[in-house]
Amino acid sequence: MEQRKGRRLILFPLPLQGHMNPMLELANILYFKGFSITIIHTNFNSLNPSTHPHFTYHSISDNLSESEAAEKDLLLLLSHLNTKCFEPFRECLATLVSDVSKEPVACLISDPVFDFTQSVAESLKIPRILLRTGSASFTAVISAFPLLEKKGYIPKQDSRLEEPVTEFSPLRVKDLPMINSSDPERFLKLVHNLTYETKASYGFIFNTFEDLEQHALATLRKELHIPIFPIGPFHKCVPATTSTSSLLSQDRSCISWLNTQAPKSVIYVSFGSIATINKAQFLEIALGLANSKQPFLWVVRPRLVHGSDWLEPLPGRFLETLNGRGHIVKWAPQKEVLAHQAVGVFWTHNGWNSTLESICEGVPMICMPCSSDQMMNARYVSDVWKVGLQLQHRFERGDIEKTIRKLTVETEGDQMRDRLSKLKDEANLCPRQGGSSYQSLNDLVNHILSLESFVYKT
Ligand code: UDX
């Protein structure tokens, strides 16, 4: 823990699991660097202050109706949050900034998906830094959307899906970011806001590291002219802790079950906090896992399967017939699971957090991207870092079984583990003294402390 800096940082996470986790990890990192931390959070998916008692919390009322809070169209949900949080956030931030009984506020750190935070920060004359929760490559690609639209890659056409995107090799058109919505224009509007918001900020923080994304980081530095701070992997930058920002409670029975399994034998299966599947797909996954003959730990979130509360679509006595070879939980302590010696493969949807967490523990991946940045994360895993395989026929039990075998009993898995061992070492070394993320974090701290002398950007 470093000497207190006498400055307060205000952090405002987007209330989705894959965005809250890195923001809370960043808060811990900056707390250890000597800043006081204040978190503004929404009632929707609200945080539990007792998990990080060293922070100060302010909850704002997002006024979402019951049906808005249950909205399945992610982009529509984000649009509701952006409309309804604007005024409560502005009032809360104004009160915090004018509170002279506390340390002065050095800056706001927000998620760029909250598109109103720039105008609020500007009106209150507070510098704003952005945390990008996706990869640097994702930011580079969405910053180039106007070009990609001009070249006709976007909107994606079925006839061009396999075509290479030469500007971003080895991506293909089908890998470009996209979130389906009832109104296709909504995604382009989100991308436009993200790009505009980027340009207006005082800096960019990434949960990544130089050795992993050197090329994308260099591109961003050249094109954005904004200070860039790749200080990840966040969870390797502070001492391991049991505090969690999980919205669902973690079922620790999976750790006791893993303790009974042979080293590197278990397939860990999880598709993050948002992806959903239908019953037929769920059954193919279950049968592919059963037929693979490997032990598996499977996270099935409540309502992961359309129209079901939990495991109802599984064949009767599915787990019993496997004689303990399978274990299913609603939510797992994922980082601990990936670090467990029994885990040999991660079957993932390639959310950025999951991808990075897998790399950090040297676990090869089976890639099954669903939406957003996941398709391009998966392409990097399979074709750039070469540490995973994409499922060719996503929900087909034979293909699932074959892909699992390639990574467990055939030599392909060992070659990937060799490549991963180098990346794992780099991921663990870069936050230590002399490493790139260590240096970048010190640069970030100095940057934040220097912001007072800046004339406010407009
Ligand atoms: C979303 C997007 O889908 C993703 O593409 C984007 O990069 C971030 O926002 P999500 O789908 O939830 O996130 O995936 P991911 O980024 O992998 O984040 C999931 C987080 O939940 C990870 O930190 C993971 O460790 C955690 N998790 C997941 C658990 O703690 N337990 C689980 O059982 C499953």
Side-chain angles (χ1 to χ4, degrees):
M1 173 81 74
E2 291 191 9
Q3 205 184 357
R4 307 316 295 162
K5 300 271 186 295
R7 290 286 177 278
R8 205 156 31 116
L9 305 179
I10 298 184
L11 278 67
F12 184 37
L14 189 78
L16 299 177
Q17 190 72 77
H19 292 248
M20 292 158 92
N21 286 3
M23 187 66 93
L24 269 286
E25 284 164 357
L26 175 65
N28 258 333
I29 293 169
L30 293 169
Y31 176 79
F32 273 91
K33 279 288 181 185
F35 292 102
S36 298
I37 302 293
T38 296
I39 309 261
I40 301 180
H41 65 107
T42 55
N43 285 343
F44 172 76
N45 282 349
S46 98
L47 285 164
N48 175 359
S50 67
T51 58
H52 297 84
H54 43 300
F55 304 155
T56 307
Y57 292 83
H58 290 270
S59 156
I60 56 169
S61 164
D62 45 60
N63 298 315
L64 291 186
S65 66
E66 218 169 289
S67 66
E68 285 168 338
E71 180 57 63
K72 295 273 179 295
D73 183 328
L74 178 63
L75 293 178
L76 195 50
L77 172 67
L78 295 176
S79 161
H80 292 321
L81 282 167
N82 268 312
T83 310
K84 299 219 164 169
C85 291
F86 171 64
E87 195 48 37
F89 174 75
R90 199 193 59 74
E91 279 170 22
C92 181
L93 190 62
T95 310
L96 290 173
V97 170
S98 59
D99 183 353
V100 287
S101 69
K102 299 248 170 59
E103 299 138 306
V105 174
C107 71
L108 166 71
I109 301 181
S110 63
D111 191 305
V113 177
F114 269 136
D115 59 21
F116 54 83
T117 53
Q118 173 57 26
S119 62
V120 173
E122 209 171 292
S123 68
L124 297 171
K125 303 231 174 306
I126 305 174
R128 186 192 64 144
I129 293 178
L130 294 172
L131 166 63
R132 286 306 326 231
T133 56
S135 69
S137 310
F138 172 60
T139 298
V141 168
I142 60 162
S143 302
F145 254 48
L147 171 75
L148 299 176
E149 284 182 73
K150 208 159 116 196
K151 295 231 164 180
Y153 298 125
I154 291 167
K156 296 185 196 180
Q157 294 157 37
D158 286 349
S159 59
R160 296 185 69 179
L161 291 179
E162 296 298 332
E163 208 176 294
V165 179
T166 43
E167 295 76 6
F168 287 98
S169 176
L171 295 188
R172 300 181 199 171
V173 171
K174 65 180 180 185
D175 303 324
L176 292 173
M178 177 52 66
I179 302 177
N180 289 330
S181 171
S182 51
D183 176 1
E185 282 299 308
R186 255 185 223 123
F187 183 67
L188 292 179
K189 186 166 172 266
L190 175 77
V191 168
H192 171 83
N193 286 345
L194 286 179
T195 314
Y196 169 77
E197 291 283 300
T198 307
K199 296 200 173 122
S201 75
Y202 277 83
F204 244 41
I205 303 171
F206 281 102
N207 187 11
T208 190
F209 55 101
E210 288 285 346
D211 286 328
L212 190 67
E213 291 203 276
Q214 208 160 28
H215 181 67
L217 288 165
T219 306
L220 290 175
R221 286 190 178 107
K222 198 165 96 205
E223 288 177 5
L224 295 182
H225 308 291
I226 290 172
I228 302 248
F229 303 99
I231 62 168
F234 288 177
H235 65 291
K236 297 289 176 185
C237 293
V238 281
T241 141
T242 50
S243 55
T244 162
S245 45
S246 275
L247 293 165
L248 294 170
S249 72
Q250 299 176 335
D251 182 344
R252 297 194 56 81
S253 70
C254 58
I255 302 294
S256 325
W257 179 83
L258 284 173
N259 289 340
T260 65
Q261 304 299 316
K264 305 234 175 298
S265 65
V266 173
I267 317 294
Y268 170 56
V269 189
S270 170
F271 307 130
S273 62
I274 297 173
T276 53
I277 51 180
N278 66 34
K279 284 185 189 169
Q281 295 167 335
F282 183 65
L283 276 180
E284 288 300 308
I285 295 173
L287 295 170
L289 286 170
N291 297 346
S292 77
K293 306 280 183 278
Q294 289 294 130
F296 63 87
L297 167 61
W298 186 7
V299 175
V300 180
R301 288 185 340 259
R303 289 168 296 288
L304 166 75
V305 186
H306 305 159
S308 297
D309 280 337
W310 196 37
L311 301 179
E312 303 84 321
L314 279 184
R317 298 178 37 78
F318 173 75
L319 280 178
E320 287 89 325
T321 55
L322 295 174
N323 293 323
R325 188 163 57 76
H327 192 78
I328 298 181
V329 293
K330 290 182 176 165
W331 195 249
Q334 179 163 301
K335 293 188 198 78
E336 205 177 328
V337 165
L338 288 168
H340 197 287
Q341 55 154 1
V343 172
V345 173
F346 182 14
W347 180 359
T348 170
H349 71 313
N350 289 112
W352 181 243
N353 297 294
S354 293
T355 304
L356 195 60
E357 288 161 15
S358 202
I359 287 173
C360 286
E361 303 309 334
V363 180
M365 286 165 257
I366 296 177
C367 307
M368 198 183 70
C370 303
S371 180
S372 181
D373 56 341
Q374 298 154 17
M375 290 80 77
M376 59 171 289
N377 296 340
R379 182 66 59 202
Y380 273 79
V381 166
S382 62
D383 291 29
V384 178
W385 304 312
K386 298 186 176 16
V387 294
L389 292 176
Q390 304 228 19
L391 276 177
Q392 295 307 317
H393 308 284
R394 296 154 53 83
F395 297 105
E396 199 271 304
R397 66 188 83 165
D399 192 36
I400 293 168
E401 193 189 331
K402 202 168 72 195
T403 312
I404 291 177
R405 287 185 65 78
K406 277 191 188 162
L407 289 185
T408 49
V409 293
E410 294 170 16
T411 51
E412 228 165 323
D414 292 332
Q415 291 162 4
M416 286 181 193
R417 276 183 203 93
D418 287 345
R419 284 191 280 273
L420 273 161
S421 129
K422 183 166 174 280
L423 283 177
K424 178 181 172 178
D425 287 347
E426 288 167 356
N428 284 281
L429 283 175
C430 65
R432 301 206 199 145
Q433 193 158 9
S436 62
S437 295
Y438 179 92
Q439 182 56 46
S440 204
L441 176 56
N442 283 341
D443 293 346
L444 172 64
V445 170
N446 291 333
H447 180 64
I448 292 173
L449 292 173
S450 74
L451 286 174
E452 283 170 47
S453 57
F454 274 44
V455 175
Y456 195 80
K457 259 190 192 180
T458 51

